[in-house]
Amino acid sequence: MTNDTEDVRMRGFSRRTLVSVACRWIDEHCAPQLHEAIPLVSAPGRVLAEDVVSDLDVPPFARSAMDGYAVIAAETNGATSYNPIVFNLVGTSLPGEPFDGEISAGDAVRIMTGAPIPTGADAVVPAEFASEGQNRVELSQPIAPGKNVGRVGEDIESGTVILSAGRRLRPQDIGLMASVGQSTVRVVRAPRVRVVITGSELIEPGEERNEHQIFDANSFILQGLLERDGGSLESLVRTLDSRETIEKAMTGTGADVVLVSGGSSVGAEDFAPRILAEHGELAIHGIAVRPASPTGMGILGGRLVFLLPGNPVSCLCAYDMFAGRAIRQMAGRSAEWTYPKRRLTTASKIVSAIGRVDYCRVRLLENQVEPIAVSGASILSSTTRADGFVVIPESCEGYAPGTEIDVYLYDFSE
Amino acid sequence: MTNDTEDVRMRGFSRRTLVSVACRWIDEHCAPQLHEAIPLVSAPGRVLAEDVVSDLDVPPFARSAMDGYAVIAAETNGATSYNPIVFNLVGTSLPGEPFDGEISAGDAVRIMTGAPIPTGADAVVPAEFASEGQNRVELSQPIAPGKNVGRVGEDIESGTVILSAGRRLRPQDIGLMASVGQSTVRVVRAPRVRVVITGSELIEPGEERNEHQIFDANSFILQGLLERDGGSLESLVRTLDSRETIEKAMTGTGADVVLVSGGSSVGAEDFAPRILAEHGELAIHGIAVRPASPTGMGILGGRLVFLLPGNPVSCLCAYDMFAGRAIRQMAGRSAEWTYPKRRLTTASKIVSAIGRVDYCRVRLLENQVEPIAVSGASILSSTTRADGFVVIPESCEGYAPGTEIDVYLYDFSE
């Protein structure tokens, strides 16, 4: 599985690893993350680290499911709107302020939704079948025992597993944990990701630019992607193409994953692969995928390191194909893409080559797709003009017009 | 469109508004939000408030698309691996460190991807077709003019609209704005949402509970949902069923939307509808939807107010049907649900009633769905045991087994 780690600078890759092999390497090296306890309010979207067991019945007391009158059900037999039965109105039970007496035959207690059922009562007649007077209430419908009463534990029984480890938490899951009194929850810790942007020509947006400088885009792309995938930015380092500073950024502790953008290929200034090979393991370097072939990955000091091409489209593709797969799994999520997938027809030819995977940006035309014309690895706008992308496998030369294919949409799921 | 605002306490709703009418009222009262400028890094998922126009060509200079040797293309004519042509190696061009001379016939400059093309050169021969010696390099392939050169403005031309107002920003969009030097972006301001949780029986998870108290779940559900939909929590108020404190929370300024949980119905302790009618407009109260019929909405001091039932399932349903629709639109997003929709077949009967919309929680069984058996409005666990829900329209009595229906999945889109 491990490629040779010879110095490929200025000589090109002698062979490239298959995408499937790289993905398998990633899946085998995504060490499960540690857990952490966080407040419930921060937990939507996080992944549960352990089963949640309730130590409480919900509701913890019998409560009314309606606004109305709590009575002994048998006492309502025969009530109709022509012949209402008159009850003594002996008090009120409100949520948090129960009626503190006991009900006898012929008694009724005014009760609100959620209020405790008074001792002795076993049903609640809804307000619409009642007419209240001075210390009395006329009920115009009979009611069955247990009707409109929420019994103890009817939502959750004490001792049951209410949510299982591995679940990605939805808002209602958070509500359910709150309802059993839990104020924190143990979740999979978000992998801490360091982003190292290399390139002597790069400056930060907002800075004064001289003639031969360009603005760094990759740090913004990578930060957006890694946070989408459940990672958390540990630090962002922008550095010149200097071996010392790149080495320092790659070897420093504190992160679980290091993403290096730029200097990943076979140029004289491409230090990152050598640094990774010298300080750790450069497991894979050069992958049969366009436009991200100069991608590398390995392990350094227990951290996963991904060497991503500096060209922004290649960087996006390399992240999505490889680094994102690792980060999602370390965050406890599925390895799979979050992009919505649709089955669509090609409106024009999509060209690829046998032996490599192609990541082809496409535009939607009603229910068809066509490739984006300008698609060089440095043309970032091709990824913003595109509605999504198609992945063409190694075994395929491309698709003729009219072929049904899977399209991944860049869209948010709405 | 405006219902009567008579006091319905303890008398029930005389008539209920159709869901479609309530949705139309919402769509007509979602005032567009103000804009705000935010740093690029905070912008993924936000909605662009205005078109973004580049005032820069990208790239701003002709640059190499490969690691290799910059030459005058015509000088390479006839080069083969058997008959390589020898060039004088006159210097190096690195990203950010251009070669500062000019190229003449027979000259080559070592060049890295992204580095400026030297004056005089018009093509780059890739490193794999070159063999470098002392002050010289042999090139073994002819190259066409312009080959491996990224021309000025090939990604973005100065003066073009690179992203249009209304777009929900993806990571690559943020990168594109960075690449033209922008460090902030004007987005639709997130609607500020106040959550008012009413109920004398409610305590916060983690607090010591006495016999007749229950833990508040709705604040957690609502916070998760409103943040999912692009809102931002302005404040969370938990209050007893006291007219004064509910009134204070509902009338206080600072929020764009107020969600009141509990006290929305027709019970003696249901103050919120009266407060809304007295201080503003209770436009709709009582909706033909189960389990959220005691929902109200209106306007108070220019703020949208939603009165949501206190039962947690009803609260979730009322938020998703109504309040979320408003918050999403105020955040600049589509009114539609974010839940993935799938076309599935009913495994068993799903029962509804003519004249009301039913929000029915369902469980997936391979490619079929069945309703969750226990489905009372107070059974929050029905929404965590469910995989999604089905919306049964007013005109429909339900579905026989084997019917194809649309199912909304609670799932995150992965």
Side-chain angles (χ1 to χ4, degrees):
Chain A
M1 201 85 35
T2 299
N3 268 24
D4 54 341
T5 58
E6 56 180 317
D7 192 343
V8 292
R9 285 183 287 172
M10 297 308 272
R11 284 189 283 119
F13 295 105
S14 51
R15 54 196 166 94
R16 293 190 165 88
T17 303
L18 291 180
V19 169
S20 56
V21 172
C23 288
R24 197 157 61 235
W25 185 89
I26 291 166
D27 296 350
E28 286 165 359
H29 289 83
C30 288
Q33 286 292 290
L34 298 175
H35 303 165
E36 60 179 343
I38 60 171
L40 277 196
V41 286
S42 315
R46 298 293 296 269
V47 174
L48 206 51
E50 53 191 25
D51 290 354
V52 177
V53 178
S54 175
D55 58 4
L56 182 70
D57 287 311
V58 178
F61 50 86
R63 68 184 173 192
S64 180
M66 300 286 279
D67 294 331
Y69 298 86
V71 293
I72 298 166
E75 300 289 313
T76 63
N77 285 345
T80 69
S81 50
Y82 296 104
N83 267 316
I85 299 180
V86 179
F87 285 75
N88 303 316
L89 188 57
V90 297
T92 300
S93 178
L94 298 177
E97 281 181 65
F99 173 72
D100 65 0
E102 189 168 336
I103 269 189
S104 310
D107 290 346
V109 163
R110 189 191 295 109
I111 193 164
M112 297 296 128
T113 306
I117 300 291
T119 311
D122 63 358
V124 174
V125 177
E128 43 267 59
F129 304 115
S131 172
E132 197 181 308
Q134 189 78 33
N135 296 327
R136 42 178 276 163
V137 58
E138 292 185 347
L139 302 181
S140 59
Q141 266 219 347
I143 192 112
K147 189 77 183 164
N148 300 322
V149 173
R151 63 172 177 77
V152 173
E154 112 183 309
D155 188 354
I156 300 165
E157 283 182 16
S158 176
T160 56
V161 172
I162 58 170
L163 296 166
S164 300
R167 182 177 177 101
R168 195 152 169 224
L169 293 168
R170 304 165 180 168
Q172 61 263 45
D173 299 339
I174 312 294
L176 197 71
M177 288 186 284
S179 76
V180 301
Q182 202 168 321
S183 59
T184 60
V185 55
R186 287 202 77 79
V187 295
V188 176
R189 205 191 67 190
R192 299 161 304 181
V193 184
R194 178 173 306 154
V195 172
V196 182
I197 303 291
T198 73
S200 300
E201 79 281 26
L202 297 176
I203 56 169
E204 199 176 338
E207 284 181 354
E208 197 65 44
R209 194 182 71 82
N210 76 32
E211 193 190 351
H212 291 110
Q213 291 179 319
I214 62 170
F215 293 108
D216 160 40
N218 288 0
S219 69
F220 294 91
I221 298 173
L222 290 174
Q223 192 173 341
L225 293 170
L226 76 89
E227 288 175 354
R228 174 199 71 186
D229 287 336
S232 114
L233 185 73
E234 182 260 352
S235 60
L236 167 62
V237 181
R238 283 195 187 86
T239 157
L240 300 176
D241 292 311
S242 129
R243 193 187 151 107
E244 294 71 53
T245 52
I246 297 172
E247 191 162 5
K248 190 166 162 236
M250 286 176 66
T251 54
T253 57
D256 305 305
V257 180
V258 179
L259 307 181
V260 183
S261 155
S264 70
S265 185
V266 296
E269 302 291 302
D270 290 329
F271 301 117
R274 282 281 94 196
I275 294 169
L276 180 51
E278 284 170 26
H279 290 271
E281 182 199 358
L282 176 63
I284 291 173
H285 191 207
I287 301 184
V289 58
R290 196 172 73 166
S293 72
T295 298
M297 61 191 75
I299 291 182
L300 194 163
R303 299 180 288 288
L304 272 179
V305 179
F306 290 91
L307 311 179
L308 311 176
N311 261 328
V313 182
S314 310
C315 181
L316 173 65
C317 170
Y319 176 90
D320 259 349
M321 289 267 182
F322 309 112
R325 184 179 184 90
I327 290 171
R328 287 191 294 275
Q329 291 183 81
M330 291 170 83
R333 301 193 193 172
S334 155
E336 300 314 314
W337 277 323
T338 56
Y339 298 117
K341 187 164 76 171
R342 275 172 67 187
R343 193 93 185 141
L344 296 166
T345 304
T346 51
S348 54
K349 193 163 69 169
I350 296 183
V351 178
S352 182
I354 296 278
R356 70 158 191 245
V357 167
D358 247 293
Y359 173 94
C360 174
R361 279 83 71 212
V362 296
R363 200 190 331 248
L364 296 190
L365 312 160
E366 308 205 352
N367 278 322
Q368 297 198 307
V369 289
E370 61 171 17
I372 289 282
V374 179
S375 59
S378 61
I379 310 300
L380 181 54
S381 60
S382 68
T383 67
T384 63
R385 281 179 284 125
D387 297 303
F389 62 93
V390 169
V391 176
I392 305 150
E394 289 102 349
S395 57
C396 178
E397 279 192 280
Y399 302 109
T403 312
E404 250 204 7
I405 55 172
D406 283 330
V407 178
Y408 295 92
L409 300 178
Y410 283 133
D411 239 354
F412 290 87
S413 56
E414 44 163 48
Chain B
M1 202 83 37
T2 301
N3 267 25
D4 53 342
T5 56
E6 57 179 319
D7 190 342
V8 292
R9 284 183 288 172
M10 296 308 270
R11 283 189 284 121
F13 294 105
S14 52
R15 54 197 167 94
R16 293 193 166 86
T17 302
L18 291 180
V19 168
S20 56
V21 172
C23 288
R24 197 157 61 236
W25 184 89
I26 291 165
D27 295 350
E28 286 164 359
H29 290 84
C30 288
Q33 287 292 290
L34 297 175
H35 302 164
E36 61 179 343
I38 61 170
L40 277 195
V41 286
S42 315
R46 297 295 293 271
V47 174
L48 207 50
E50 53 191 25
D51 289 354
V52 177
V53 177
S54 175
D55 59 3
L56 182 70
D57 286 313
V58 178
F61 49 86
R63 67 183 173 192
S64 180
M66 300 286 279
D67 294 333
Y69 298 86
V71 293
I72 299 167
E75 301 289 314
T76 63
N77 285 344
T80 67
S81 50
Y82 296 106
N83 267 315
I85 299 181
V86 180
F87 285 74
N88 304 314
L89 189 58
V90 297
T92 300
S93 180
L94 299 177
E97 280 181 64
F99 172 72
D100 65 0
E102 189 167 337
I103 270 188
S104 310
D107 289 346
V109 164
R110 189 192 294 110
I111 194 165
M112 296 296 127
T113 306
I117 300 290
T119 311
D122 63 357
V124 174
V125 177
E128 44 267 60
F129 304 116
S131 171
E132 197 181 309
Q134 190 78 33
N135 296 327
R136 44 178 274 164
V137 59
E138 293 185 347
L139 302 181
S140 58
Q141 266 219 345
I143 192 116
K147 189 77 182 167
N148 300 323
V149 174
R151 63 172 175 78
V152 172
E154 103 179 322
D155 188 354
I156 299 166
E157 283 183 15
S158 177
T160 55
V161 173
I162 58 170
L163 296 166
S164 300
R167 182 179 177 98
R168 194 153 170 222
L169 294 167
R170 304 164 180 168
Q172 61 261 46
D173 299 339
I174 311 293
L176 196 72
M177 290 186 283
S179 76
V180 301
Q182 202 169 318
S183 59
T184 61
V185 56
R186 288 202 75 78
V187 295
V188 176
R189 205 191 65 191
R192 298 161 304 181
V193 185
R194 178 174 306 154
V195 173
V196 182
I197 302 291
T198 73
S200 301
E201 78 281 27
L202 297 177
I203 56 168
E204 198 176 338
E207 284 181 353
E208 196 65 44
R209 194 182 73 83
N210 76 32
E211 192 191 352
H212 291 110
Q213 290 178 319
I214 63 170
F215 293 109
D216 161 40
N218 288 359
S219 69
F220 294 90
I221 298 172
L222 290 174
Q223 190 173 343
L225 292 169
L226 75 90
E227 288 175 353
R228 173 198 73 185
D229 286 336
S232 113
L233 184 74
E234 182 260 353
S235 59
L236 168 62
V237 181
R238 283 196 186 88
T239 158
L240 300 176
D241 292 311
S242 129
R243 193 185 152 108
E244 294 72 51
T245 51
I246 297 172
E247 192 162 5
K248 187 162 166 243
M250 286 175 66
T251 55
T253 58
D256 305 305
V257 180
V258 179
L259 308 181
V260 183
S261 155
S264 70
S265 186
V266 296
E269 302 290 303
D270 289 330
F271 301 116
R274 284 280 93 199
I275 293 169
L276 180 50
E278 283 169 26
H279 290 271
E281 181 199 358
L282 176 63
I284 290 172
H285 191 206
I287 302 183
V289 57
R290 195 173 72 165
S293 72
T295 298
M297 62 191 75
I299 292 182
L300 194 163
R303 299 180 289 287
L304 273 179
V305 178
F306 290 90
L307 310 179
L308 311 175
N311 261 328
V313 182
S314 309
C315 181
L316 172 66
C317 170
Y319 175 89
D320 259 347
M321 289 267 182
F322 309 112
R325 183 178 186 90
I327 290 171
R328 286 190 295 274
Q329 291 183 81
M330 293 170 80
R333 301 194 192 172
S334 155
E336 301 313 314
W337 278 322
T338 55
Y339 298 117
K341 187 163 79 171
R342 274 171 69 187
R343 193 91 187 142
L344 296 168
T345 303
T346 51
S348 54
K349 194 162 68 169
I350 296 183
V351 179
S352 182
I354 296 278
R356 70 160 191 244
V357 167
D358 246 293
Y359 171 95
C360 173
R361 278 83 71 211
V362 297
R363 201 190 330 248
L364 295 190
L365 311 159
E366 308 204 356
N367 279 320
Q368 298 198 306
V369 289
E370 62 170 17
I372 290 280
V374 179
S375 59
S378 61
I379 309 301
L380 181 55
S381 61
S382 68
T383 68
T384 62
R385 279 179 286 125
D387 297 303
F389 61 93
V390 168
V391 175
I392 306 150
E394 289 103 349
S395 57
C396 178
E397 279 191 280
Y399 302 110
T403 311
E404 248 204 8
I405 54 173
D406 283 331
V407 178
Y408 295 93
L409 300 179
Y410 284 132
D411 237 353
F412 290 86
S413 55
E414 43 161 50

